[in-house]
Amino acid sequence: MAEEKKVAAYICQGCGLGERLDTDALVDVVKKEGKIQQVKPHPFLCSSEGVAMIQNDIDNDGVTHIMLGACSRRAKTDAFNFTTVAMSRANLREGVIWIRPDTEEARETTQEMAEDYLRMGSAEIKAMRQPQGNPNTGTSRTLLVVGGGITGMTAALEAAKTGYPVVLVEKSGQLGGWAARMHQRVPSHEPYKAPVDTGVADMISAIEADANIKVYLNATVAKTSGAPGRFQAEIATESGSVSTEDVGAIVQASGFELYDANKLPELGYGKSPNVVDQGGLEQLAMEAAQRGGAILRPSDGQPVKSVVFVQCAGQRDASGTHLAYCSGHCCNTSIKQAMYFKDANADIDTTVLYTDLRTPGNGEDFYRSAQEKGVIFTKGKVSSVEPDGNTCKVNFHDMILDDKAAIENADLVVLATGQVPNSGVNIDFKPEAGAEAAWDEQKKTISILNLDYRQGSDVPQLKYGFTDSHFICFPYETRRTGIYTAGPVRRPMDIAQAKEDATGATLKAIQALENAAIGSAAHPRSGDLSYPSVRLEGCTQCKRCTVECPFGAIDEDEKRYPLFNESRCRRCGTCMGACPVRVISFENYSVDTVGSQIKAVSIPDEFSEKPRILVLACENDAYPAMDMAAMNRTETSSFVRVVPVRCLGSVNTIWITDALNSGYDGVMLMGCKHGDEYQCHFVKGSELANYRMSKIDDTLKGFNLETDRVQTYEVAITDIDRVPKLINDFEKRMFEIGMSPFKGF
């Protein structure tokens, strides 16, 4: 049965709109060309009276679809929060009057812009349906935490505090992870003078006493299937038993391993027992604490009288042989470990050799405390460590004196080797050329989550194995909706950072499972009730949607048709942009909603010298940048018509060909930065769009059009000055090329 539809339009006269625009003419355009008969202007549409007028029409007049001609869709979202109807918004304030000069000469083109945006809004609303929400929901409120170290325990405790049940899975026989193998930790509060207790024992006691937390020890996740709100995790224990837990969201806190110091023979590791990594020193310190004595030299059990710490051992390596990155915590960790010796015996010679000393947070105070205790900090790059009986010679280049130097008769040498994430299998991961040695081969054969996804058994990873996330906007998210990573599996970090990370990831996981219960998207379109559907009779089974979906939300059924898992969907529309036969759509965002806007614009004839430029702008970066430029009253071309898109990945090439066929002189696509340091909120959207648009030249040549008429740009939300310049420069280029020969056809 077709949806009963009653459309109404409302035109605001506030914020200068009534003074700058001919409201009567706008009403006339909406009625005659937009074919909407119920059109109401209002002095201030976002006022309580204006909102009440709209709500009254919805409640008492049966209005199901509304079009607002007012400010940007990003403004006044609380006021215009009409959840029971479909809504489109024509941007007359930021999109028109704020970017045009208030002069008599500009009045005509300003009015033309406003009228076009109302035509576009009228066309869009009639192609929309009100989303009803995903019916295939799950209601589990249990959180699965994988990994029982500091990060995992923090996540479990924080979730339990808020009333959510937790299943905590730890692969070893005890909780605590690396922190349980540490003698002490770097302080996280005043006075930052000395190492402090790790706090692991207290956390374990809190977990054991919390009825909301169920712990599996000596256990792994054998299989994870389902989606947010309805994941099923099969947990295998060492005894061979398998338990199935229904969970709503997952926090992966699988931690790290130290970089394999056996790969550093030039630094003496493996050649002398007196060369250890930071983990090895923690073991020696714990043994000393248990004995109540000094830290002993491993080779002969004599007390250490001289110790050298070698920073960046196998880290920050530009050659690609070892780790290219800094692990962040190592400098503070070496300072802490140096204090183990100085606090026990001030006469022990303690030297830290560093190229750059990095002490984030309040680590500077901790560093000064170590200096006061007599720890020597020397800026030098170590070239080799030579074992000599029960001592070692450390050769280095003194970076202050620019000369060769050496420390002889060191009883112990400690290598700061850095963190390698326990991130599991990644079928897409390929180390950079020459960097294969930095990747622990064992990590390629061990899966953490064993996901039942066609895209792989674990969450996607970056080039060094850290789990992939939008590090700016959504640092905990992965490309698997409802699964979050925290701690050193996401990026190198210390204990204080890991605890903060765990708290953030837990809150996002709770948000995801609550949204899943009502069929709503998690992020970045939080609250969006739309979800994709496919018209199977038109599907060609090309598999582009299943392959290109960045989030693993599309599988295949037994007949090899796309099978949507709506709870995994982020609502980016990448599948819609990928579909060559245009059979995928959302209720409120489809090929038709955008295509109808493109076709609704009034195209002047080729003799008018009034080009029309279509801008398809990412709603997360490019469109906000335009709004902020408008707030600055930056003048922008009056010939541009902007259509915000969920993601550039949702852009279907039919929109480009339709625009060119309709007589548009040029098309600009503005999306986020892509590549290794991507800023796309949907990870792959702008990259996929760039790839698709790289093939548009053939279409343009087939139309006998210049290739300059379609351009793709990487735009950040901070490009407030750059975006108007791009548009204005593009307009100049269109005048140089000349008007489209398709005008009037």
Side-chain angles (χ1 to χ4, degrees):
M1 182 177 176
E3 177 186 18
E4 289 189 14
K5 183 187 299 184
K6 183 171 184 179
V7 185
Y10 305 88
I11 300 175
C12 185
Q13 295 172 300
C15 298
L17 290 168
E19 290 79 26
R20 297 284 305 278
L21 302 172
D22 182 345
T23 304
D24 290 338
L26 298 180
V27 171
D28 206 39
V29 165
V30 174
K31 284 185 175 180
K32 290 182 179 179
E33 300 182 50
K35 301 292 192 294
I36 300 175
Q37 296 310 306
Q38 186 169 320
V39 185
K40 297 182 180 180
H42 193 276
F44 278 99
L45 205 54
C46 63
S47 66
S48 57
E49 294 83 2
V51 171
M53 175 185 70
I54 299 171
Q55 190 64 56
N56 181 68
D57 287 350
I58 295 170
D59 295 339
N60 301 315
D61 201 21
V63 170
T64 61
H65 291 62
I66 61 175
M67 191 274 287
L68 308 181
C71 47
S72 168
R73 63 177 62 192
R74 301 178 62 254
K76 305 293 182 181
T77 53
D78 288 339
F80 299 136
N81 184 28
F82 305 107
T83 58
T84 61
V85 297
M87 179 172 65
S88 70
R89 295 181 63 176
N91 188 356
L92 305 184
R93 188 180 70 174
E94 291 87 343
V96 182
I97 67 167
W98 280 5
I99 63 171
R100 300 302 303 148
D102 188 6
T103 62
E104 191 61 37
E105 293 80 8
R107 185 173 295 276
E108 179 185 348
T109 54
T110 302
Q111 182 73 18
E112 287 175 355
M113 288 185 79
E115 290 177 1
D116 267 346
Y117 279 121
L118 288 174
R119 292 184 185 101
M120 294 162 70
S122 300
E124 180 188 21
I125 190 60
K126 286 188 282 190
M128 290 171 61
R129 290 181 291 123
Q130 170 63 9
Q132 300 302 308
N134 171 24
N136 192 17
T137 59
T139 57
S140 174
R141 300 176 80 251
T142 301
L143 186 68
L144 171 65
V145 178
V146 182
I150 284 286
T151 308
M153 290 194 296
T154 301
L157 288 168
E158 293 300 322
K161 284 179 189 176
T162 58
Y164 289 85
V166 178
V167 173
L168 177 60
V169 178
E170 165 56 36
K171 66 180 179 181
S172 70
Q174 67 173 19
L175 298 174
W178 267 105
R181 290 176 267 172
M182 290 167 52
H183 174 44
Q184 291 176 307
R185 60 167 286 188
V186 175
S188 58
H189 53 77
E190 293 288 353
Y192 301 103
K193 291 291 185 182
V196 296
D197 184 75
T198 61
V200 168
D202 291 340
M203 293 182 75
I204 293 174
S205 296
I207 286 173
E208 291 174 343
D210 198 318
N212 258 349
I213 303 175
K214 181 179 183 179
V215 179
Y216 287 88
L217 296 177
N218 293 312
T220 57
V221 179
K223 183 180 179 181
T224 306
S225 57
R230 49 188 175 86
F231 286 114
Q232 279 197 328
E234 296 180 11
I235 300 169
T237 64
E238 196 177 50
S239 64
S241 65
V242 177
S243 301
T244 300
E245 297 283 353
D246 294 320
V247 298
I250 301 169
V251 173
Q252 180 181 332
S254 47
F256 71 98
E257 297 293 336
L258 291 176
Y259 183 64
D260 187 359
N262 287 302
K263 297 176 181 178
L264 303 167
E266 70 277 10
L267 299 184
Y269 196 88
K271 295 181 179 180
S272 168
N274 299 325
V275 179
V276 299
D277 60 15
Q278 289 181 324
L281 179 56
E282 291 293 339
Q283 183 177 349
L284 294 175
M286 290 185 76
E287 291 171 355
Q290 290 169 359
R291 290 194 313 271
I295 295 176
L296 304 180
R297 190 166 57 187
S299 61
D300 60 359
Q302 294 300 306
V304 172
K305 297 179 180 178
S306 172
V307 58
V308 177
F309 293 86
V310 178
Q311 298 309 104
C312 301
Q315 297 188 73
R316 302 173 66 201
D317 178 34
S319 71
T321 305
H322 304 294
L323 302 180
Y325 54 85
C326 167
S327 290
H329 76 96
C330 314
C331 290
N332 271 336
T333 298
S334 288
I335 292 170
K336 174 197 73 172
Q337 293 181 335
M339 289 188 188
Y340 290 170
F341 295 95
K342 284 296 186 181
D343 289 345
N345 182 353
D347 294 330
I348 297 176
D349 290 331
T350 308
T351 303
V352 177
L353 286 170
Y354 68 94
T355 53
D356 298 288
L357 204 63
R358 298 177 173 180
T359 55
N362 288 85
E364 191 75 17
D365 294 337
F366 194 49
Y367 161 64
R368 278 193 289 269
S369 177
Q371 284 182 311
E372 291 166 2
K373 292 178 179 181
V375 177
I376 298 169
F377 292 90
T378 299
K379 191 173 177 65
K381 188 171 181 61
V382 176
S383 56
S384 64
V385 175
E386 300 174 8
D388 183 15
N390 288 318
T391 64
C392 292
K393 178 182 178 183
V394 181
N395 300 303
F396 65 98
H397 181 83
D398 190 310
M399 297 173 72
I400 302 298
L401 301 176
D402 193 21
D403 197 6
K404 292 181 179 179
I407 298 175
E408 307 215 20
N409 301 317
D411 291 317
L412 193 66
V413 176
V414 184
L415 307 180
T417 51
Q419 296 178 341
V420 177
N422 286 327
S423 45
V425 176
N426 181 2
I427 60 171
D428 295 325
F429 170 72
K430 294 180 178 63
E432 290 184 326
E436 288 82 1
W439 179 254
D440 187 342
E441 291 295 327
Q442 292 181 359
K443 302 296 185 298
K444 291 185 178 180
T445 60
I446 301 172
S447 179
I448 305 298
L449 297 179
N450 283 294
L451 296 173
D452 184 21
Y453 280 65
R454 60 169 285 148
Q455 292 84 359
S457 58
D458 275 290
V459 297
Q461 298 151 24
L462 300 171
K463 57 187 176 183
Y464 300 115
F466 294 103
T467 55
D468 193 2
S469 71
H470 190 296
F471 67 96
I472 297 174
C473 298
F474 310 111
Y476 315 109
E477 77 167 18
T478 70
R479 280 192 262 162
R480 301 294 171 257
T481 308
I483 301 175
Y484 299 83
T485 57
V489 72
R490 189 174 73 78
R491 64 172 178 80
M493 61 182 71
D494 60 20
I495 287 177
Q497 292 168 325
K499 294 182 77 170
E500 181 179 315
D501 219 51
T503 304
T506 301
L507 291 173
K508 293 303 294 183
I510 289 171
Q511 181 192 48
L513 63 85
E514 290 291 352
N515 275 321
I518 58 173
S520 171
H523 50 254
R525 296 188 58 83
S526 183
D528 188 349
L529 290 172
S530 70
Y531 60 93
S533 60
V534 59
R535 186 166 48 83
L536 291 179
E537 62 270 21
C539 177
T540 61
Q541 300 177 312
C542 69
K543 297 182 178 58
R544 280 179 57 181
C545 60
T546 58
V547 171
E548 292 189 13
C549 175
F551 307 111
I554 311 174
D555 292 312
E556 295 169 15
D557 64 16
E558 63 279 1
K559 296 182 180 179
R560 310 193 75 176
Y561 284 109
L563 182 65
F564 286 84
N565 193 322
E566 298 89 353
S567 297
R568 296 179 183 176
C569 176
R570 302 274 176 90
R571 281 69 163 177
C572 61
T574 297
C575 54
M576 192 175 85
C579 183
V581 289
R582 303 177 293 283
V583 296
I584 299 174
S585 63
F586 297 76
E587 296 106 316
N588 57 356
Y589 184 66
S590 65
V591 172
D592 286 342
T593 62
V594 176
S596 61
Q597 291 182 72
I598 294 170
K599 294 172 184 175
V601 171
S602 177
I603 305 293
D605 63 48
E606 60 181 309
F607 305 107
S608 67
E609 291 298 309
K610 290 182 178 180
R612 285 294 177 263
I613 298 166
L614 173 65
V615 176
L616 297 169
C618 162
E619 70 178 12
N620 294 301
D621 277 76
Y623 201 69
M626 290 179 186
D627 277 353
M628 288 186 281
M631 292 171 68
N632 292 340
R633 304 304 195 269
T634 305
E635 186 174 336
T636 309
S637 169
S638 63
F639 303 129
V640 69
R641 302 295 182 262
V642 181
V643 177
V645 295
R646 292 186 177 182
C647 175
L648 221 56
S650 70
V651 173
N652 197 292
T653 53
I654 191 64
W655 297 339
I656 312 299
T657 54
D658 278 354
L660 296 173
N661 279 325
S662 298
Y664 282 84
D665 299 279
V667 181
M668 303 177 72
L669 292 88
M670 294 188 178
C672 305
K673 181 179 180 181
H674 55 266
D676 288 340
E677 297 179 355
Y678 70 87
Q679 292 182 18
C680 176
H681 285 60
F682 296 108
V683 185
K684 289 288 185 180
S686 56
E687 179 181 319
L688 290 166
N690 190 65
Y691 173 74
R692 293 173 198 154
M693 291 308 120
S694 69
K695 300 177 179 297
I696 207 74
D697 284 2
D698 291 338
T699 301
L700 292 167
K701 290 173 183 175
F703 286 170
N704 201 25
L705 293 173
E706 297 82 357
T707 56
D708 283 1
R709 291 190 185 273
V710 179
Q711 296 294 321
T712 304
Y713 302 91
E714 290 184 359
V715 173
I717 196 171
T718 53
D719 286 337
I720 301 168
D721 297 322
R722 177 171 169 258
V723 169
K725 186 177 186 304
L726 288 175
I727 292 172
N728 294 336
D729 288 347
F730 191 84
E731 177 204 279
K732 292 175 185 176
R733 181 58 183 149
M734 292 304 100
F735 276 112
E736 291 171 0
I737 295 173
M739 300 298 101
S740 169
F742 286 90
K743 289 182 184 293
F745 284 89

